[in-house]
Amino acid sequence: MVFLCDKFGVDGYLDLMEDKIAGRFKKYLKDATNKLQLSLQPMATRKEREMLMKIAECKNHNESWFRTNVYSAVFDNAFMYDDKFTSKRADCYSNITKEFEDVDNQRVDFILRNINDDNDYLSAEEKPSLKGVKGDIKKGKALQKAMLRKWTGRLGSVEIMKRLEAITCQWQGLKLTVYGTRFISKDHLITYRKGSFAVPKEETHAASFAHVLVAVLTLRRLVHSNYTKLNIILEAKYAHGLETMYFSSDDETNFRSDSTEDLEHQEKIQTIDAQTSSCRIIDAELETHMIQALCDIEPEADVVTFEDWEEFIMERTSKKRKATSSN
């Protein structure tokens, strides 16, 4: 992927949605994206999976029920009842871009903000049609890079930053698209589409809705994963500071931009790229300790993914046997 960034990207930054890559590299690109696990893959507890499978078989609700209980609530309710985050809506300003004087402030439709550190870990834009979506996607890329820039400044390690992913979302009518940006090396960034999911318009497409719902549940888990990783890393950093009796000067004063609009200024994002890819040197022992702390994170209890395919096959076989014996 580093080779593709150098050959087809700009200054080490490769936008997999816009930059044109030669067809002969198609197989290599597919292998690289699979290895990096860029696409959004389902993560749900066994109870959630059971519920989703029942929803997929549901054929009795009418359109008004779906619109009242599903369409308007599918996204917000996934994040609303959370003891670590608060949801901000209706033209709220990103706290991330306010910290950099060379990045225009960004106003978005939805922000998921952490209660403890007041940082934004997810944002979403909403448009009823295609009009304005291109500008929203451009805004999302700027937000993703600003998130990585802030995290890099606080952590000082690209090896650790490679384990984090900046995510934004775009609603276009009933279609949800998830985008991400991440480091693949000290001087290389990639931006990509993690997945697109469409809420069905008719009540007969329950399986399609279950597909969207598990995507939103997975998105929620990815956001929590980013927060958990950052929290563990920073706690290790602060503990190291106490051990060595040294306070890091990483958290210097930042100034917000006077500009609040005019997204066209984001054309000059090469400056952000350069600053994002430059990291402070971190103590090697501390970096090793942080990486080990990340490796020791316990996965959420009872969550299943595609890697549990053997369990799913056994479950399917068991159901077939029961159905056969009952007949």
Side-chain angles (χ1 to χ4, degrees), residues 75-76 89-90 108-110 124-129 131-133 136 169-173 175-176:
F75 195 75
D76 286 17
R89 268 211 163 276
V108 294
D109 294 320
F110 173 89
E125 287 286 72
E126 299 163 347
K127 289 291 185 293
S129 64
K131 185 178 180 180
V133 169
D136 283 351
C169 302
Q170 177 71 50
W171 280 101
Q172 178 191 327
K175 178 184 176 183
L176 171 66

Side-chain angles (χ1 to χ4, degrees), residues 88-130:
K88 303 287 184 181
R89 268 211 163 276
D91 288 339
C92 40
Y93 284 95
S94 167
N95 273 357
I96 297 293
T97 54
K98 288 179 181 179
E99 300 201 15
F100 303 108
E101 61 177 348
D102 57 346
V103 182
D104 288 345
N105 285 348
Q106 303 290 359
R107 188 167 55 188
V108 294
D109 294 320
F110 173 89
I111 287 176
L112 192 68
R113 185 165 293 164
N114 182 251
I115 296 172
N116 180 58
D117 59 22
D118 211 31
N119 283 332
D120 302 339
Y121 284 82
L122 179 71
S123 66
E125 287 286 72
E126 299 163 347
K127 289 291 185 293
S129 64
L130 185 60

Side-chain angles (χ1 to χ4, degrees), residues 134-167:
K134 186 175 181 179
D136 283 351
I137 294 174
K138 187 177 181 181
K139 183 193 300 185
K141 292 176 184 178
L143 288 168
Q144 292 162 24
K145 291 179 182 179
M147 291 166 70
L148 290 180
R149 180 178 173 184
K150 176 167 183 175
W151 297 345
T152 304
R154 298 188 71 184
L155 302 181
S157 166
V158 171
E159 284 305 310
I160 293 175
M161 283 299 302
K162 285 161 64 175
R163 299 165 185 260
L164 299 172
E165 181 180 37
I167 300 172

